[in-house]
Amino acid sequence: MSILEVHDLKKRYGKIQALNGISFNVPAGSVFGVLGPNGSGKTTMLSIILDVLNADSGNYSWFGQPASPDLRKQIGSLLETPNFYHYLSAVNNLKITNSISGRGDRAGIDAVLRKVKLYERRNSRFSSYSLGMKQRLAIAAALLGDPQILVLDEPTNGLDPVGIMEIRELIIELSKKGHTIIMASHLLDEVEKVCTHVAILKTGTLITSGSVDDVLVDEDIVELGAADMEQLKAALSNYPGKTSTTVNAQTMQLHFPKGTASAEEVNRYCFNHGIALQYLSIKKKRLEERFFELTNN
Amino acid sequence: MLNLFRTEWLKIKKYPGFWWIMGITVLSYPGINGMFYFIYKENTANTKNAAQMLKMLLGNPFEFPEVFRTTAFASSLFVFIPAILVIMLITNEYTYKTNRQNVIDGWSRNEFLIAKFLNVVIISMIVIALYVIVTLSIGFSTTGPDVKDKFQLAHYTALYSLQVFAQLSFAFLLGLVIKRAFIALGVFIFYKIIVENIAAQLLNRFVHADTGRFLPTESSDLLTPIPAFLGKLDQKVYDHALGLINQQVFITIGYLIVFWGLVFWIYKKRDL
């Protein structure tokens, strides 16, 4: 079942085509990463699905139903920057979130403030918070009432390394509990660690989307090494089925069409050619590498 | 509706700016009317001939029923103070981007605007309550028992209410369109005091003698004419102004519909 279905969304700002017919589905229970360089349309897309921007055309649905304010109340969201009343404390700001969305209660407010480690400063004015504290409050607001759906736009912005790790663990914990999380981020390493699905945007166009494994694996890579690298290189120069070879100082990589590589066959081939391998591994591309390939950066 | 009101109360009850400007409003309305009253009293209390002649000329603008018109006019000069508050309450939402957060959290755009509409209604009601308190206080303390029909001009309460609500609605529209508090306030004051007065004079002179009264805030300004004693300076013009009030009521209601129609239309079309 899809939590969110986005169909052919288009949005133009003057001469700039910010979104050019974006379509994808977010499966229930997934951690769905939305990736893309600056200006790729991530925030525009999230803003449309949260109804703060009007799409020029296309549509989207939450829970299989047309979007509505009542459905939005069930979604915890952090969009772009923490937006709070500067003269109010964390508690009073969250009371407003509670009053509008109906999510959480007074005990719930304290609980989320403890979770994001702001409880001690709960009565301080928002204007007195550091950037990281403001971001933590925004995350607390999104978590209020334990919504099943979270939309988080750059949730680790402004956080220190410990804060980033805490948010990563929080996302993993929520995912294990069955929450669906839609997350836009520049931090590919973070996305790779927590996301089950990704969509990659570039200049308003969806380049690819799907499960992380499907997106990352466009070919099979066998990485191997031996004491005599020259002999290994010579022996594998005519290995059947490979599409290309990459040679490093201590290892080399054989590239195969997706789903065709067999480490066992490579090992046997080398053994039959009198080479004892010191290292053999099926390697997956890093998301970062794949992202740069797809976005041509 | 109750939830919208409750949420707005959560926003403003700990907003220092709200209480400061509300405090200034509460002080300024009795202040300006009280000041006029005491100037009048001082200048007419003397038993010398000149003072008594002045009293004869002015009548008693602070006695019932004339006090309703006098305080309505004096109070209308200070509508820019609650207008500051109205403009701040909407522009703050843009400054803090909380207008978009309210929608993200589950309000529809219309609910956000209805909540703000309630703000304008409540601020108007506070200003009107001040007018009523000041008018009754001055009226009862100055009017002798011999005066009949004390409440003959009480309908100025309704006219002043309409004027306040129309002008605060105009201020709200400017705040919503301009988004920046100081610019919106500057435009409001500049437009109301300078642009519209000049435009009204030009229209009256070059288009038609009565065209100026159709301008957005001039239309409601004419709901509360100058006190009767000032009208004696040109009784014909004054009588004409009094005769136009009924028409100005409909023009003002028309503008109110336009103001709020524009507010809802702009906010529906605008990206937040």
Side-chain angles (χ1 to χ4, degrees):
Chain A
M1 180 202 160
S2 291
I3 290 292
L4 170 67
E5 292 176 22
V6 174
H7 180 66
D8 201 24
L9 280 188
K10 289 181 182 166
K11 176 72 178 175
R12 177 179 279 278
Y13 299 111
K15 290 180 179 174
I16 307 295
Q17 186 74 46
L19 287 182
N20 191 14
I22 301 283
S23 301
F24 61 85
N25 292 341
V26 176
S30 63
V31 181
F32 194 96
V34 181
L35 307 178
N38 288 335
S40 59
K42 303 186 296 291
T43 300
T44 299
M45 194 272 294
L46 294 182
S47 299
I48 289 173
I49 64 171
L50 292 172
D51 198 30
V52 295
L53 292 185
N54 297 310
D56 296 337
S57 64
N59 56 67
Y60 61 95
S61 62
W62 288 101
F63 313 99
Q65 300 170 50
S68 71
D70 282 340
L71 290 177
R72 221 161 41 244
K73 286 174 182 168
Q74 302 171 36
I75 302 165
S77 307
L78 187 178
L79 186 64
E80 228 176 348
T81 50
N83 304 322
F84 292 102
Y85 297 91
H86 288 210
Y87 51 88
L88 293 180
S89 66
V91 169
N92 287 324
N93 268 301
L94 293 188
K95 281 182 182 173
I96 291 172
T97 307
N98 158 256
S99 181
I100 292 173
S101 68
R103 289 188 281 113
D105 51 22
R106 184 55 222 254
I109 288 172
D110 286 348
V112 290
L113 287 173
R114 281 199 177 89
K115 200 172 207 62
V116 299
K117 297 190 168 55
L118 268 186
Y119 186 73
E120 301 305 317
R121 291 287 303 277
R122 67 191 180 283
N123 293 319
S124 301
R125 282 184 178 197
F126 178 74
S127 56
S128 70
Y129 286 177
S130 69
L131 180 62
M133 291 166 78
K134 289 174 179 172
Q135 189 73 0
R136 285 169 186 269
L137 181 59
I139 292 165
L143 295 175
L144 187 63
D146 196 24
Q148 285 300 299
I149 318 293
L150 287 162
V151 176
L152 305 173
D153 186 10
E154 304 287 354
T156 53
N157 257 1
L159 297 182
D160 56 25
V162 175
I164 292 172
M165 190 189 71
E166 286 168 357
I167 295 304
R168 183 201 310 151
E169 287 172 357
L170 177 68
I171 290 170
I172 292 170
E173 177 194 325
L174 291 169
S175 174
K176 281 180 183 165
K177 284 164 64 182
H179 292 59
T180 304
I181 299 158
I182 301 166
M183 182 174 95
S185 181
H186 290 300
L187 301 177
L188 301 176
D189 191 44
E190 291 303 317
V191 171
E192 191 170 6
K193 281 172 182 162
V194 300
C195 287
T196 59
H197 294 71
V198 290
I200 298 179
L201 305 181
K202 185 189 175 189
T203 56
T205 303
L206 181 70
I207 294 176
T208 184
S209 72
S211 74
V212 170
D213 283 343
D214 286 344
V215 170
L216 289 184
V217 181
D218 64 329
E219 60 177 358
D220 291 347
I221 303 170
V222 177
E223 191 170 56
L224 61 169
D228 187 341
M229 286 300 291
E230 287 305 315
Q231 186 189 4
L232 181 65
K233 216 160 64 178
L236 291 171
S237 60
N238 293 318
Y239 188 84
K242 74 177 171 64
T243 52
S244 62
T245 306
T246 312
V247 180
N248 302 317
Q250 303 296 322
T251 60
M252 63 184 294
Q253 293 176 344
L254 302 181
H255 298 254
F256 297 91
K258 189 174 172 180
T260 61
S262 164
E264 187 185 341
E265 282 176 14
V266 173
N267 193 17
R268 187 179 298 120
Y269 182 91
C270 292
F271 185 78
N272 290 340
H273 284 75
I275 300 168
L277 293 176
Q278 290 180 326
Y279 169 71
L280 177 65
S281 165
I282 297 281
K283 192 171 174 273
K284 218 166 67 170
K285 273 186 184 169
R286 298 288 318 277
L287 180 57
E288 188 175 71
E289 188 183 343
R290 185 75 181 122
F291 176 81
F292 289 144
E293 276 178 14
L294 289 168
T295 57
N296 297 323
N297 278 317
Chain B
M1 193 70 87
L2 198 63
N3 177 262
L4 300 182
F5 178 75
R6 181 176 167 269
T7 308
E8 286 303 304
W9 177 239
L10 286 171
K11 291 179 190 176
I12 61 178
K13 74 175 180 180
K14 296 200 173 175
Y15 176 41
F18 173 81
W19 295 110
W20 273 105
I21 297 173
M22 195 48 79
I24 292 168
T25 306
V26 168
L27 291 175
S28 65
Y29 278 70
I32 184 69
N33 285 291
M35 190 181 77
F36 283 148
Y37 171 63
F38 287 117
I39 290 172
Y40 166 81
K41 198 175 169 187
E42 198 175 302
N43 284 294
T44 56
N46 203 313
T47 53
K48 285 180 181 169
N49 283 346
Q52 290 310 305
M53 278 183 71
L54 182 65
K55 192 171 184 179
M56 279 176 66
L57 185 69
L58 297 183
N60 192 343
F62 294 100
E63 271 188 10
F64 284 127
E66 188 59 29
V67 67
F68 281 102
R69 183 155 43 202
T70 307
T71 51
F73 175 75
S75 302
S76 71
L77 302 176
F78 282 77
V79 76
F80 71 91
I81 299 174
I84 296 173
L85 191 55
V86 167
I87 287 172
M88 281 174 66
L89 289 179
I90 181 62
T91 53
N92 271 352
E93 300 277 3
Y94 281 107
T95 304
Y96 305 141
K97 291 186 177 176
T98 39
N99 62 325
R100 73 191 325 226
Q101 191 63 44
N102 288 174
V103 169
I104 290 169
D105 287 337
W107 268 356
S108 66
R109 292 169 187 230
N110 279 354
E111 280 176 315
F112 175 81
L113 288 177
I114 292 167
K116 291 295 162 204
F117 176 83
L118 288 176
N119 279 344
V120 178
V121 169
I122 288 165
I123 293 168
S124 299
M125 286 169 70
I126 292 170
V127 171
I128 294 158
L130 281 169
Y131 163 78
V132 171
I133 291 167
V134 168
T135 303
L136 295 181
S137 302
I138 295 176
F140 279 116
S141 62
T142 58
T143 310
D146 53 316
V147 175
K148 300 270 192 287
D149 288 336
K150 286 189 175 68
F151 296 96
Q152 188 190 355
L153 295 179
H155 62 278
Y156 273 93
T157 306
L159 293 172
Y160 179 66
S161 304
L162 185 59
Q163 182 191 39
V164 168
F165 185 59
Q167 302 214 353
L168 294 188
S169 297
F170 180 65
F172 183 84
L173 173 64
L174 287 181
L176 184 97
V177 171
I178 295 170
K179 300 181 186 176
R180 295 282 175 268
F182 284 106
I183 300 174
L185 186 63
V187 169
F188 178 76
I189 292 173
F190 181 70
Y191 175 80
K192 187 167 157 40
I193 294 176
I194 298 173
V195 175
E196 211 176 72
N197 282 324
I198 293 171
Q201 293 303 321
L202 290 175
L203 287 169
N204 287 343
R205 174 167 291 201
F206 295 111
V207 181
H208 186 275
D210 255 358
T211 325
R213 68 190 175 94
F214 291 97
L215 290 169
T217 62
E218 182 70 4
S219 57
S220 53
D221 273 339
L222 294 177
L223 293 172
T224 53
I226 53 175
F229 72 87
L230 288 173
K232 287 176 184 169
L233 297 174
D234 190 338
Q235 192 64 43
K236 197 178 165 192
V237 171
Y238 189 59
D239 289 342
H240 179 63
L242 293 180
L244 286 176
I245 288 176
N246 285 344
Q247 289 179 36
Q248 296 308 118
V249 168
F250 290 104
I251 297 169
T252 303
I253 290 171
Y255 267 118
L256 267 174
I257 294 167
V258 170
F259 293 157
W260 285 102
L262 275 174
V263 162
F264 278 83
W265 183 78
I266 289 169
Y267 209 67
K268 186 182 176 189
K269 294 290 176 190
R270 182 185 265 178
D271 285 337
L272 304 182

